[in-house]
Structure formats: structure tokens, C-alpha cells
Amino acid sequence: MKEKPVKREKQRETSLLISIVLVFCILGTVVYTVSRQISREMSASAIQNLSESLDLIQCTIETILENEAEFQALIAREIAREEDPEAYILAYERNQTMTKMSLILSGEKEGVSSTGEVFTEEELNFSAGGTVKGMPVSFSYVNYMGTWSYTIKCPVESRGREIGTLYVEYAYDAIDRSLPDGFYNEQASLYIMDAESERFVLKPKGMGKRSAGHLNLDDFYRANNIQDQEIRREVEDCLENGKDLLFYHDIRGVKALNYMWSVNNGTIFLVGYVPVEAIQQEGRTVNHNILIVVVAMLVAFFVCVALYYFNWREQDKVRKEREEERKIHNRQLAEALQAAQIASNSKTMFLSNMSHDIRTPMNAVLGFTALLAMDAENPAKVREYTRKIMASGQHLLSLINDILDVSKIESGKVVLNFEKFALNDVISSVDAIIQPMAKAKRQEFHVEVTGIRHEYLIGDETRINQVLINLLSNAVKYTPEGGHIWFRIIGLRQRSGQYEHILIEVEDDGYGMTPEYLETIFDAFTRAENSTTNKVQGTGLGMAITKSIVELMGGTIDVTSEVNRGSCFRVELELRIMEGRTDRTFWEKRGISRILAADSDRKGLENIQSLMEDTGVQTDVAVSVKEALERAGDNGGNYQLVLLDRNVVDPDSIQKVRELQKKLTDGALILFLVEHDAEGADRIEEMPQKNYDGILMKPFFVSALQEKITELEERATEESGTEHEETRNLEGLHFLAAEDNEINAEILREILEMEGASCEVVENGALALERFSRAAEGEFDAILMDVQMPVMNGHDAARAIRALKREDAGSIPIIAMTANAFVEDEKAALDAGMNAHVAKPLDIVLLKKVIRQYIE
């Protein structure tokens, strides 16, 4: 029963739709037919108007020519009455119409011109046969003023006898001044063409876009792509017979009506085109008005139908809309549920990883603390337990730093601290951390530096170390025992003389990564998941932090990897070169002007020569001990320093090393270059100490060489009995400390007492300010200031102390000791007037170094 009403309803809907479509079709057909008819009639009328306009211009030009000819005839009659016709010509003054007047007397080949020049008819060509009022008209030409012109000649008769010929030159510009300013609202293009030469001699003002004289008919064909041979034949016929021609042709993609209109029996032509759009402007206006009326009718009709249809379909539409909204709502709920489940899973996985990774070192801290309490009387175990507690605490601190780092990166609060640093220091600090990790897993760790031109650069050394340690520690973690790790720093071609372009490569032959994981390796909280890598601890933030830091420094990072074949990370950085860093006085003070380097690796020798280039020290190279011995002999042993790579020293060459030592001048140093692994150093140390002076670790850097030379000098000073002892403890110093945490205050007090120093602790910055203001000058050697404290924080306290009117207020060292450990925190401390910034948890060695530095 329900199917029949639904079927009838659908039939009514279909009938109504068909009726509406038919009405629209009929109305559209009527409107289209009327519009086409109006367009045709208006186009025909426009073409007629164009023809009439061209006829008017034609008549205007022909009238100008006839007036010029009649006026010239009058002048000829006046010349005939003159006793000296040539004097009359010379006295003529040029006007806007006639630019030059010339006369050749009968029987003469040459005559005079109003310009004072000798005139001959050979300069003109009247062979075209064109005439005006029976007077010949010459070809068009460019006159001495650079204007397109033509000449009319007429006889000069006196008493029925021809006494000469008058030539008058006319400029086409005179015709231009007599033509209308515009043509089809300046949409048309109009040229005047000389029929015989087919040159365009005039472009009336306000018409077209090209200057007259720059085109001829062939140019017109090419510019407007008129290639139709039929049209060209019609044009040729038009030129030959002096007829008028209209034809349609697209001009620069625009449909246009082209014309060639004969003037003066075909001696000149009006050439140009009018866009069909301009011709049909009136027709389009009429059609537009008709369309407006039709659209208004259609809108009214459609509104009526729509109102009826809307009322008819309202209930069904409401039902469908509600059903569609329900589907959308259900889909949105499903998507939200899926997103919530993904977020929950990610959160659960992250919390699970963090719980495991934080509990592991925390368990070690608590466990060894319990053991420490039980074995407090055993010094050996106490030292072992404290060492392990320290290692676990450092690991726990690194986990916390990773979380804080990624939080600050995501909030955009990371600030780079650009300072001078040496590449040697970066490599040494990284090697000191990574080498023991690699040795613990019996891995081979190789360090290579090639192509570096400058070792002193400007950048954030701490962040660069962080990037390198992240990459290298991951390489150690994800490479099995006995594997290989390569750390390369390669100098690339400089894009600017002020920046060193560096490529850093960290490669291993470890477990590798799947293509799927490579797509998300730089996302936060992601870790490779398999039976092997799951044993490695970490937050999954290292790579995300690394990528963010690299991009913050303006660099790029990418990775290639293959499962069970290893991975290779590549980082490109451009670091500013530190200007004026070369210290030549170091070498001059020690009398070092020439050194010799022996290495079987030619790239290593090139690296040494490149880095020593700016020191003023001549660097000679050899690829073997034998060659080094020969060079020493050739130069009379005039080397103050010799660098020998361990690879060129074998049992057979030890004797040559001794011979080389004998050839050198007194006081010359022999240093062995060895890899960072212990094997190379052990092999050299097997030799008698008298055969060499020291060991220099690869890769070679000038700063490392200077440090080694200084170290050898200090050792020699100590051996000679000279006192050279520097006190490293804090014996006898008295400090004022502001610390609101009782445990931290107790730790600080105990550490300082162990170093022989005393400390007075106050609870906040206000008390520290009050105590210092009451203290006698020199009572405190330094102030140790926490930052986050009640009443008055450390920054405000430091500013207040510096503002006190006492001599030591501006000079007493104020050292910030705070858990705020980021670069911007250090900058804020220095801006507040503090001397230095030491992050918590306290590193006693660093604290002692900083205190000593500022107290001394």
C-alpha cells in the first residue's frame, strides 16, 4: 500500500521537473534566437558605420591633398611673376604644411631649395603615376628631419611658356593634425600606407600601439599572423586596382575586422583593424538588457516554482537532513574516538617507557643509597657506590633534560648561545664521552676530519655537542658488540668566505632501521620497536630534539638506513668563521718556523698543511720515515718540530726515527700522531721515551698542537725543579650563600667545608642583601645566589647588591646556582649583574673552577 503513493509522488516529481526543464529550454531558445538576430543586425550596422567612417577619413585626406595641390599651383603662378624666382625660393620659410620648397629652371638639371641645398629630381621617384589635380606625387620617403613625407611637382609657366618646375615637400604629420583624435573609442588600429613601397608612413594619434615607419605590409602580416593565401591574393588585388577591402582575421587571439581603404585612387591606403568586440558593442548592450529582463523573468518564475516545490518537499527534506546530520555526527564521534584511542595509546606507551626509564636509574640511586648506609665503614665500597649513584643520577638528569628540551622547542623558547669555540674542543669532549661507551661494547670508534680550513668558529658549542652526543650515543646503543662507528667532519665548498661549510657524518654497521620507522624517526616519543632495540633505554625524544636544534642553527639533517646493515646520519651546518684568531706570536716566542709532518695518508697531510697555513710556520710533508729522513738531511735538520704518524712507524723504521732525531737541531720535538683508540698509543709507548717527546691524538688541530707543546714546556719546568703548583681547593675562603631549600643548603655547606671553605647561608635574596650590606669589606670572598626564592629572587638581589654605595659592591663575584639551566636563564643571570651561572645539580669540579676563576 505504501509503494503506490511513493510511486505516484515520484511520477509527479518527474513530471514537474520535465515541465520546468521544457519551459527553460523554450525560453532559452527564444532568447538565443533574438540575441543572434540582434547581433547580426547590429554587426551589419557597425560594419556600415565603419565603412562610412573610413570614407570620411578618405575624403578628409583627399581634400587635404587637393588643397595642397591648389595652393602649390598658386605659389607657382606667383613665382612666375617674380624677376628672380630662385631668390623667392631661398626666402621661403618652412610652415606646418610645406617642409621644403625647391625649383629647377627649364633646361637645368639642378636647382635651389629653401633649405639652401642644391636640389635634383634624382632624389625623388614619381614613377608610380599617382597625381593630385593632375600634379604628379612622389613615393613616400623619410626627409632630412626624419619625418615621412611626399613631394608634389607642378610646372611654373610664364606667358604660356614653362620656365621651370616647382617641387614642394609635404609631411604626413599635417594629415595627422586634420584627422579625428580617436577611432572606435581608440580600440581600432589605423595606419596610412604608401601603396608603391608598402611602407606604413603614419599612425594617427590615439590609434594603435606601434609607431609609424616601424612597419611595412610584410611586418603587418607577420605581426598579425596573416598566412591565409586567399586573403593575401585579395590584398594584392586591392593594391593593384586601388579597391577597398574588408576581411575578418584574428589579431593576437582577438577576432577583428581588418580593412584596406584606397585613398587618392590607390596612391595611399588606410590599413588597420577593429576588434569585433568593439563593433558589436552596441549589439551586446542590447543583448545585455534583454538578458537582464529574461533573467528577471526566470528568477521570478524560479522563485514561484521553488516556493511551491519547497512546500511540497519540506517534510522529506527535513527528514533527510536529520538523517544526514545523524550520519555525520556518528562519523565525527567515531573519528574522535579513534583519535582519543591513538592519543591514549601514545600517552600510555610514552608513560610506560618513561616509567621504566626513570625507575631504572632511580632504583639504582635508592638501592645503592641503602647499600651505602650498610657499608659506610668500607671506604672502597663507599667510593664504588657513590660513583654508581652519580652515574645513575646523571642518566636520570639526561632523561629530564630531554623532556624539558622538547617542551621548550615546541613552545619556541629555545635560544642559541653564539660564542667562539674550537672544533678540537668539540671533538675532544665528544670523544671523551663516546670512546668509553664504545670500548665497553668492544666497538671500534673512528674519528676522521678532512677538508676543514678553519678550526675556530662561532656557534652554540653546547648545542653542537648535544647533537653529536645524541647521534653518536645512539650509534653505540644500536650497534652490537664488536661493531664499527665512524664519526666524520668534512669541510665542504664554502658558499661564503665568512662561513665554514661543514658536513658531519655519523655512520655505524648496527641494527639499522626499517623504511617505515625512517618516516617517523624525527617525531617526538618514537622509538624503533623490535626484540633487540627494546632493550635500549631512552625517551624517544633524542632525534626530535636533534632535528629541531639543527634546523634552529640553519642546518639540515637526513638519514639513510638498512635493516641489519647500519645507518648513516648526515648533518650540514654553516658556522661563522672567527676573524683574527691566528696567534703567530705563539710560534715566534718558541722559535718554531718550520715543521715536518710524515703520514702515509696524503689527505691527512693536506689537512695539516691547510690548518697550519695561517700560522706563519712552513710545513713540509713526507709519506714515510725514510722520506722524512731525506728531507731532514736536505734541509740540514732545520726543523723545530716533527710529527710522525704511527702508521709510518714499524719495527723496521724505529732505527730511522733515531737517525732522524740525530739530524734535528737541539731542542727539536718529535711527536707521534695516533688515533684516539688506545692501541696506537700503546704501540708508540713501547718505544724508549728518549726517541720521542710526546703523543698527539688525531685528528690534527693547531690548538691541540699548541696545548701539547705548552704541556711539554710545563713538564720540563717541573722536572727542572721550578715551582709550578696551582692550588685547586678553596682553602680559607668565606662565602655568603642565598638558598631557600634546607637540603640544598646543607649539601652546599658540606661540600665547601670539605674543600676547606666556610659558608654562611640565608633563606632568600632580601636577607642576602641585608647581610652583605652589614658585612665588613672583604668579609666574604664571593656570593653564591639561588634564583627562585621567596620575598626577593636572586636576580633582584644581585641588582640590589650591585647598586649599593660601597667599594666592593661592584667587584665581589656573584655566582648563580640554580636549577634553571637553559641558555636564556644564563643570559638573565648575567644581565642581572652576576658573574657566572652554575646549573644544579652542582658539579663540584665546575663550581671550584668558576669560583677560582673569578676570585683570582
Side-chain angles (χ1 to χ4, degrees):
M1 294 296 292
K2 292 183 179 180
E3 293 181 358
K4 290 183 179 180
V6 172
K7 186 176 182 180
R8 283 196 298 269
E9 184 179 353
K10 289 184 177 179
Q11 289 175 349
R12 284 198 301 270
E13 291 176 359
T14 304
S15 301
L16 179 59
L17 180 61
I18 292 173
S19 301
I20 294 173
V21 171
L22 285 175
V23 170
F24 273 96
C25 290
I26 293 171
L27 186 58
T29 303
V30 172
V31 172
Y32 177 76
T33 304
V34 173
S35 299
R36 292 284 296 173
Q37 181 64 27
I38 292 174
S39 296
R40 285 195 294 269
E41 292 176 358
M42 296 301 292
S43 296
S45 176
I47 292 172
Q48 180 65 29
N49 291 338
L50 175 62
S51 300
E52 293 175 358
S53 298
L54 292 172
D55 286 338
L56 179 59
I57 295 174
Q58 171 195 351
C59 293
T60 301
I61 295 174
E62 289 177 348
T63 300
I64 292 171
L65 294 175
E66 291 174 358
N67 291 338
E68 290 173 347
E70 290 174 358
F71 186 67
Q72 186 171 341
L74 289 175
I75 294 176
R77 287 195 292 273
E78 187 175 344
I79 291 174
R81 292 193 293 270
E82 294 287 333
E83 294 182 1
D84 189 356
E86 291 184 346
Y88 180 87
I89 295 297
L90 292 171
Y92 167 75
E93 294 183 0
R94 182 173 63 86
N95 58 34
Q96 292 183 348
T97 303
M98 297 182 292
T99 58
K100 184 171 73 172
M101 185 184 297
S102 305
L103 176 68
I104 299 179
L105 299 176
S106 297
E108 300 290 336
K109 293 185 178 180
E110 297 180 347
V112 297
S113 175
S114 61
T115 59
E117 301 171 344
V118 176
F119 177 78
T120 63
E121 188 177 330
E122 295 176 357
E123 300 172 0
L124 304 173
N125 188 345
F126 293 91
S127 62
T131 62
V132 179
K133 291 286 187 177
M135 299 179 188
V137 181
S138 71
F139 287 173
S140 300
Y141 59 90
V142 179
N143 65 10
Y144 70 97
M145 294 184 297
T147 303
W148 279 98
S149 307
Y150 59 91
T151 296
I152 300 177
K153 70 176 181 179
C154 71
V156 179
E157 297 179 352
S158 177
R159 300 174 184 175
R161 181 175 63 86
E162 185 175 326
I163 64 171
T165 303
L166 176 64
Y167 300 84
V168 178
E169 180 182 275
Y170 301 92
Y172 278 100
D173 290 344
I175 296 175
D176 187 16
R177 288 189 291 273
S178 301
L179 294 180
D181 290 340
F183 194 32
Y184 266 93
N185 294 325
E186 299 187 358
Q187 297 185 57
S189 174
L190 174 65
Y191 294 93
I192 295 179
M193 182 185 76
D194 181 72
E196 187 65 27
S197 64
E198 299 182 355
R199 296 295 300 270
F200 289 3
V201 297
L202 179 64
K203 180 193 79 79
K205 55 185 175 294
M207 304 177 189
K209 299 180 179 179
R210 302 187 62 182
S211 301
H214 291 181
L215 293 173
N216 54 30
L217 191 58
D218 287 337
D219 293 330
F220 188 75
Y221 285 154
R222 282 193 300 273
N224 300 309
N225 197 27
I226 301 176
Q227 305 295 337
D228 192 331
Q229 295 300 320
E230 182 63 29
I231 293 177
R232 290 202 173 198
R233 282 194 293 271
E234 291 181 5
V235 172
E236 291 173 1
D237 181 61
C238 170
L239 292 174
E240 291 177 2
N241 300 313
K243 297 190 299 184
D244 300 332
L245 176 63
L246 290 172
F247 61 92
Y248 284 100
H249 183 75
D250 290 351
I251 303 298
R252 298 181 183 88
V254 177
K255 189 175 182 181
L257 179 61
N258 298 257
Y259 54 82
M260 295 191 65
W261 216 255
S262 171
V263 179
N264 194 36
N265 297 322
T267 57
I268 59 177
F269 277 82
L270 303 177
V271 180
Y273 59 85
V274 181
V276 173
E277 182 180 353
I279 295 175
Q280 295 178 344
Q281 182 66 38
E282 294 180 1
R284 281 199 307 274
T285 302
V286 174
N287 287 336
H288 180 71
N289 293 333
I290 293 175
L291 183 62
I292 291 175
V293 174
V294 172
V295 168
M297 293 174 60
L298 287 175
V299 169
F301 176 75
F302 181 77
V303 168
C304 293
V305 173
L307 289 173
Y308 173 75
Y309 185 76
F310 177 79
N311 185 58
W312 184 29
R313 296 288 298 171
E314 184 175 2
Q315 296 300 324
D316 184 60
K317 183 178 180 181
V318 170
R319 179 183 58 80
K320 289 182 179 179
E321 287 178 352
R322 288 178 178 175
E323 185 177 347
E324 187 65 26
E325 288 177 359
R326 192 180 299 110
K327 290 180 181 179
I328 294 173
H329 184 64
N330 291 338
R331 184 169 62 251
Q332 290 175 342
L333 288 176
E335 291 175 353
L337 177 61
Q338 184 179 5
Q341 289 174 342
I342 293 173
S344 177
N345 291 338
S346 299
K347 177 182 176 183
T348 302
M349 183 177 297
F350 171 67
L351 291 175
S352 176
N353 290 338
M354 288 305 301
S355 175
H356 173 269
D357 291 344
I358 290 177
R359 286 175 183 273
T360 299
M362 183 57 70
N363 181 65
V365 170
L366 296 176
F368 284 115
T369 303
L371 293 175
L372 188 63
M374 291 186 292
D375 294 325
E377 304 302 326
N378 189 335
K381 288 189 176 184
V382 167
R383 283 191 293 271
E384 181 184 357
Y385 295 157
T386 53
R387 180 179 58 81
K388 292 180 179 179
I389 289 172
M390 179 66 71
S392 298
Q394 291 293 341
H395 177 58
L396 181 60
L397 183 61
S398 70
L399 296 176
I400 295 172
N401 284 340
D402 276 352
I403 297 172
L404 295 177
D405 255 353
V406 77
S407 174
K408 294 187 75 65
I409 288 170
E410 289 178 350
S411 63
K413 294 182 179 178
V414 169
V415 178
L416 296 179
N417 184 26
F418 291 98
E419 293 180 343
K420 62 183 180 182
F421 71 95
L423 274 180
N424 176 55
D425 296 337
V426 172
I427 294 174
S428 298
S429 61
V430 170
D431 180 77
I433 295 172
I434 302 301
Q435 194 72 251
M437 296 170 60
K439 287 179 181 178
K441 296 182 69 174
R442 297 192 295 278
Q443 296 168 342
E444 293 188 19
F445 179 50
H446 305 277
V447 181
E448 301 173 11
V449 177
T450 56
I452 297 296
R453 297 176 178 273
H454 305 85
E455 62 174 292
Y456 294 101
L457 305 170
I458 296 176
D460 193 328
E461 182 180 3
T462 302
R463 291 296 183 181
I464 293 173
N465 276 335
Q466 185 178 0
V467 168
L468 296 179
I469 291 172
N470 276 349
L471 295 176
L472 288 167
S473 61
N474 275 355
V476 173
K477 291 176 184 177
Y478 294 103
T479 300
E481 291 192 3
H484 300 78
I485 297 168
W486 294 269
F487 171 36
R488 307 183 188 96
I489 296 183
I490 303 168
L492 302 179
R493 182 178 179 181
Q494 292 176 257
R495 298 190 181 101
S496 167
Q498 296 178 335
Y499 289 85
E500 186 80 19
H501 190 189
I502 294 175
L503 171 64
I504 299 171
E505 287 187 351
V506 174
E507 185 178 0
D508 63 68
D509 55 1
Y511 305 124
M513 293 172 279
T514 63
E516 293 77 16
Y517 179 64
L518 282 176
E519 296 179 1
T520 62
I521 184 173
F522 294 114
D523 295 342
F525 310 121
T526 58
R527 295 173 59 183
E529 299 291 338
N530 59 55
S531 59
T532 303
T533 59
N534 283 345
K535 300 176 183 178
V536 179
Q537 294 182 355
T539 59
L541 300 174
M543 287 300 99
I545 294 171
T546 298
K547 184 174 187 294
S548 298
I549 292 173
V550 170
E551 291 177 347
L552 193 62
M553 291 190 290
T556 60
I557 182 171
D558 61 77
V559 58
T560 56
S561 184
E562 189 175 344
V563 176
N564 296 326
R565 298 291 295 274
S567 306
C568 182
F569 288 83
R570 294 179 180 85
V571 176
E572 274 195 47
L573 293 174
E574 285 191 286
L575 300 173
R576 191 174 185 86
I577 298 167
M578 186 175 176
E579 299 177 359
R581 186 62 179 83
T582 303
D583 182 12
R584 296 196 176 194
T585 59
F586 177 88
W587 310 97
E588 294 171 358
K589 289 178 180 179
R590 290 157 180 79
I592 299 177
S593 60
R594 193 169 189 176
I595 68 173
L596 175 63
D599 192 343
S600 58
D601 181 10
R602 295 186 182 275
K603 286 186 177 181
L605 294 175
E606 292 174 2
N607 188 54
I608 293 174
Q609 286 183 310
S610 175
L611 292 174
M612 291 294 296
E613 187 175 335
D614 295 334
T615 62
V617 178
Q618 181 177 340
T619 306
D620 297 336
V621 297
V623 295
S624 65
V625 177
K626 180 180 178 182
E627 184 179 347
L629 188 60
E630 293 173 356
R631 285 191 174 273
D634 294 340
N635 291 285
N638 188 24
Y639 293 108
Q640 295 83 38
L641 176 66
V642 177
L643 303 174
L644 296 178
D645 185 79
R646 76 169 180 87
N647 294 322
V648 301
V649 180
D650 51 43
D652 298 331
S653 60
I654 292 176
Q655 182 60 38
K656 293 185 176 62
V657 173
R658 297 192 182 105
E659 294 177 15
L660 175 62
Q661 192 177 33
K662 294 177 181 178
K663 285 184 176 291
L664 298 177
T665 57
D666 293 339
L669 301 176
I670 296 181
L671 301 179
F672 282 103
L673 295 169
V674 300
E675 300 288 348
H676 271 264
D677 56 2
E679 180 183 351
D682 294 343
R683 184 175 171 187
I684 297 299
E685 288 174 353
E686 293 175 358
M687 297 179 60
Q689 184 67 38
K690 63 181 180 179
N691 293 330
Y692 70 98
D693 295 282
I695 295 174
L696 187 64
M697 293 296 180
K698 281 188 171 184
F700 174 84
F701 283 105
V702 176
S703 58
L705 178 58
Q706 290 176 326
E707 290 175 4
K708 176 57 68 174
I709 293 173
T710 304
E711 178 188 331
L712 293 175
E713 290 176 347
E714 292 176 355
R715 186 190 305 168
T717 303
E718 291 174 359
E719 291 176 355
S720 64
T722 304
E723 292 186 3
H724 184 75
E725 183 176 335
E726 182 180 359
T727 303
R728 292 294 179 185
N729 57 26
L730 308 177
E731 187 75 36
L733 299 181
H734 186 50
F735 298 96
L736 172 62
E739 174 61 70
D740 62 324
N741 186 286
E742 294 182 4
I743 295 178
N744 289 342
E746 183 179 352
I747 293 173
L748 176 63
R749 189 183 291 109
E750 292 294 332
I751 290 175
L752 293 176
E753 287 180 359
M754 290 171 61
E755 296 296 327
S758 59
C759 176
E760 182 176 336
V761 180
V762 294
E763 294 180 358
N764 55 59
L767 294 176
L769 173 62
E770 179 186 351
R771 180 65 183 90
F772 179 75
S773 62
R774 290 189 288 103
E777 289 191 12
E779 180 178 348
F780 296 110
D781 295 290
I783 300 174
L784 308 178
M785 184 77 72
D786 190 14
V787 172
Q788 293 187 1
M789 295 180 293
V791 184
M792 178 182 285
N793 63 43
H795 293 159
D796 292 341
R799 293 189 186 95
I801 290 172
R802 295 300 187 204
L804 291 176
K805 296 181 179 180
R806 49 186 290 172
E807 291 185 5
D808 60 345
S811 60
I812 186 169
I814 303 178
I815 300 169
M817 294 192 310
T818 173
N820 299 335
F822 295 101
V823 173
E824 54 268 34
D825 300 319
E826 181 177 356
K827 184 176 182 299
L830 298 179
D831 291 342
M834 301 189 190
N835 298 85
H837 178 279
V838 178
K840 294 179 182 178
L842 291 179
D843 182 339
I844 184 58
V845 176
L846 176 61
L847 178 61
K848 288 165 58 178
K849 180 180 177 182
V850 171
I851 291 174
R852 267 292 166 200
Q853 175 184 351
Y854 286 100
I855 289 179
E856 292 177 355

